[in-house]
Amino acid sequence: MFHDPDFSPFTPREKPSFLAVSRNYLENYAPEAYRTDFFSADGLWPFFPRMHYVVSPELIEELLVTRAEAFRRDDIASKALRGPVEGDTLFFSEGAEWKWQRRAISPAFRYENILALVPFFVGCARAQAAEWRRLGDGAEVEITEAMSRTTFAVIEKAVFGASENFDSEGFIAALRPVLGSFGWRMLAVMFRLPPDWAPYPGLLSARAGSRFLHEETVKLLAERRARPEATRDIMGLLLSAKDPESGRVMTDSELVANLHGFLLAGHETSAVALAWTFWLLAKDQATQERAREEAERVAGDGEITPETVENLTFTRQVLQESMRLFPPFAALGRQPREDTTLGPYRVAAKEPVYVLTWCLHRHEKLWDEPTGFDPDRFAPEKVKARHRYAYLPFGAGPRICVGMGFALTEMATIVATLLREFRFDTVPGHRLELAPTFATRPKGRLPLRLTRLSKNAPASDAERLAAYR
Ligand code: HEM
């Protein structure tokens, strides 16, 4: 078990604060959230609805799994997210509409389709390694930015295959202010102001960013429609998706919204999970070495392949433990369709219910030494001994993350590929602060120092990059 003061980066507030909503809303989860099962609190403002908070695996099972139909997405987060995430997506749809979209999209995420992408994952990691190599030994890198670029390259290839005209740097740059506006948008919604118009810092660049992202996605769709040959990338699968019963196909508006959603949710979440993972491994050098040994054993003289990726079992445990301490989505929101109960508690239709994933994953009754880093918590026998819903970085029930298998395979491949070539160290003097927005991000930089391990360096960057392209 490895301990570090940075693993508890703030003190929970006894009383919630408006300021924390836009800076680090996790501070507003009261200290009792780490000890209790369920609690309710009046909103921060007299006219706000009462809110309920769930941190018990049994109640989570009822909310997200056994009685999932009785609850929909909550109004506050939905209004704040609509804009950064487009309206006609799988993420926002409900009822029959959701069922059809989920049925249409799921085949794109079948395991054999994901495994076929492993060489792409390796290629994207190698391209990142080539960039780092150019910086020279001992270079300091900002790991969150680097992982955003890597996971964006992955999702772009997985979604579109090859697109010559896609401005990926522009897309990533436009995403920053859009995602960064999330806290302010939450505040605006709480005050019943339209989040697209409420005056907050960065409003104009967030609005321009959203417009750019939408227009780029529309262009990509038009480009693909102009060359209709069938391909197995996600866009090709969505274009050919047809409801077996009704024969319905996706409208352009649904296609644009979902493609945009995949680009956003599919890279930001994996990027932060990978950044936290490398940072945790830099703190805990013994675990880093153990994961590197596994990567070397599994890859042998070559690369991670669709056949060997499953053998990265300890690497997956590291990723799971990293997403326990720093879950990319720190909370999930629901709202009952009508007045109801959850366990013994009454919940009115207008009252949102939040699963506090951050607190659940650090709950005193569910985890030994909750703020310590220990990937062995995810050894199979330990997982079996725990309640299934004590851990939910990808959610649970019918609305569980559709990209879970994709993300886990992608991340394990990237971690193993980069660990074989570099040692990661922390930078003295850096202290962690959080600034969660759409995902659980650090405030400012998350710097790491790199040392190249020459025995695993590939013979030729050009060769690797050519294979990737
Ligand atoms: C580490 C990476 C990821 C994490 C931690 C993550 C987390 C989540 C969580 C917690 C949910 C459930 C939200 C809820 O129940 O309210 C979710 C849903 C979703 N995720 Fe992910 N996700 C990741 C990667 C991806 C990827 C790679 C994609 C697609 C390419 C994706 C697409 C989606 C979609 C479309 C939904 C909505 C599903 C539905 O409502 O039916 N995610 N994700």
Side-chain angles (χ1 to χ4, degrees):
M1 181 84 63
F2 187 87
H3 289 275
D4 187 285
D6 275 348
F7 298 167
S8 322
F10 60 86
T11 308
R13 289 171 186 262
E14 293 287 346
K15 279 199 180 339
S17 115
F18 276 120
L19 203 62
V21 175
S22 65
R23 288 198 182 160
N24 174 9
Y25 64 87
L26 302 179
E27 286 178 15
N28 278 346
Y29 300 158
E32 67 180 309
Y34 300 81
R35 297 193 277 273
T36 189
D37 286 345
F38 179 98
F39 63 103
S40 306
D42 289 322
L44 277 167
W45 196 249
F47 308 109
F48 286 179
R50 198 170 165 69
M51 299 187 187
H52 306 285
Y53 299 96
V54 186
V55 263
S56 123
E58 289 78 14
L59 292 177
I60 288 170
E61 182 166 10
E62 181 181 341
L63 179 74
L64 299 181
V65 187
T66 48
R67 290 186 57 227
E69 300 267 321
F71 298 87
R72 57 184 175 83
R73 290 208 182 283
D74 73 293
D75 286 339
I76 296 178
S78 295
K79 282 187 191 149
L81 273 176
R82 228 174 257 259
V85 182
E86 298 202 359
D88 271 348
T89 45
L90 173 64
F91 190 85
F92 281 128
S93 57
E94 296 283 347
E97 190 58 35
W98 170 78
K99 271 201 185 112
W100 128 252
Q101 286 216 21
R102 183 98 190 187
R103 253 202 323 260
I105 286 171
S106 294
F109 291 95
R110 269 202 206 112
Y111 198 51
E112 70 264 22
N113 289 335
I114 296 168
L115 284 183
L117 289 168
V118 168
F120 275 145
F121 302 157
V122 172
C124 293
R126 282 294 182 199
Q128 181 59 64
E131 221 167 273
W132 281 345
R133 230 173 286 144
R134 277 194 286 277
L135 299 176
D137 226 7
E140 195 181 300
V141 297
E142 209 295 286
I143 194 71
T144 330
E145 279 309 309
M147 288 302 106
S148 285
R149 276 197 307 276
T150 309
T151 57
F152 197 84
V154 165
I155 199 74
E156 184 195 335
K157 291 244 169 291
V159 171
F160 301 118
S163 168
E164 281 131 38
N165 303 321
F166 186 51
D167 175 7
S168 51
E169 287 295 324
F171 206 96
I172 295 178
L175 268 173
R176 276 300 133 256
V178 174
L179 295 175
S181 67
F182 182 60
W184 290 109
R185 294 177 67 89
M186 289 280 281
L187 262 186
V189 173
M190 287 180 178
F191 281 103
R192 297 172 197 230
L193 296 168
D196 289 332
W197 296 99
Y200 58 78
L203 168 71
L204 293 181
S205 44
R207 226 193 267 159
S210 278
R211 210 168 30 245
F212 176 84
L213 298 177
H214 178 79
E215 285 164 5
E216 278 297 300
T217 319
V218 170
K219 264 200 276 178
L220 281 168
L221 178 63
E223 189 192 300
R224 175 55 72 85
R225 282 227 190 271
R227 48 179 178 96
E229 74 272 20
T231 50
R232 288 185 64 75
D233 55 41
I234 292 174
M235 193 157 180
L237 289 164
L238 289 197
L239 279 168
S240 58
K242 204 182 243 183
D243 191 332
E245 281 160 32
S246 63
R248 179 178 163 182
V249 295
M250 281 210 173
T251 62
D252 275 9
S253 156
E254 287 166 347
L255 282 166
V256 166
N258 277 309
L259 293 170
H260 176 275
F262 291 152
L263 286 176
L264 186 150
H267 101 281
E268 171 74 359
T269 43
S270 319
V272 297
L274 282 166
W276 291 122
T277 302
F278 283 114
W279 177 81
L280 286 160
L281 290 176
K283 294 263 186 196
D284 178 359
Q285 289 290 327
T287 300
Q288 182 177 154
E289 198 42 48
R290 194 171 151 199
R292 180 172 298 113
E293 277 164 22
E294 177 179 82
E296 285 173 358
R297 207 170 47 247
V298 171
D301 293 334
E303 300 284 7
I304 304 296
T305 65
E307 291 72 36
T308 57
V309 70
E310 271 296 302
N311 301 335
L312 294 170
T313 47
F314 183 66
T315 311
R316 276 176 192 252
Q317 285 178 217
V318 170
L319 284 161
Q320 283 166 319
E321 175 67 342
S322 155
M323 288 189 289
R324 182 188 68 82
L325 276 173
F326 295 94
F329 281 153
L332 304 175
R334 292 292 187 271
Q335 196 152 336
R337 293 183 194 278
E338 49 194 47
D339 292 355
T340 187
T341 53
L342 185 64
Y345 309 103
R346 286 181 173 285
V347 183
K350 64 175 194 300
E351 297 170 347
V353 183
Y354 294 104
V355 174
L356 304 184
T357 312
W358 175 276
C359 306
L360 179 80
H361 287 185
R362 291 162 175 255
H363 201 285
E364 289 168 15
K365 292 192 189 145
L366 299 171
W367 306 92
D368 291 334
E369 302 181 56
T371 58
F373 176 64
D374 178 12
D376 285 321
R377 293 180 203 271
F378 289 91
E381 67 283 1
K382 296 239 174 102
V383 172
K384 252 188 234 140
R386 243 186 336 257
H387 195 293
R388 184 164 167 198
Y389 300 107
Y391 176 71
L392 53 156
F394 293 101
R399 297 205 81 134
I400 195 167
C401 176
V402 77
M404 176 172 74
F406 179 99
L408 283 171
T409 308
E410 169 198 19
M411 294 191 298
T413 310
I414 292 174
V415 168
T417 305
L418 292 176
L419 275 184
R420 290 174 66 215
E421 196 176 336
F422 296 97
R423 198 184 72 222
F424 295 81
D425 286 289
T426 50
V427 171
H430 173 263
R431 287 306 311 272
L432 177 66
E433 276 185 73
L434 288 182
T437 55
F438 175 73
T440 310
R441 276 187 163 257
K443 180 175 176 189
R445 292 162 53 76
L446 196 60
L448 292 183
R449 205 177 291 290
L450 303 180
T451 307
R452 195 168 167 210
L453 306 167
S454 52
K455 66 180 172 146
N456 288 321
S460 144
D461 289 354
E463 221 172 87
R464 303 285 178 196
L465 287 169
Y468 151 54
R469 292 201 167 105

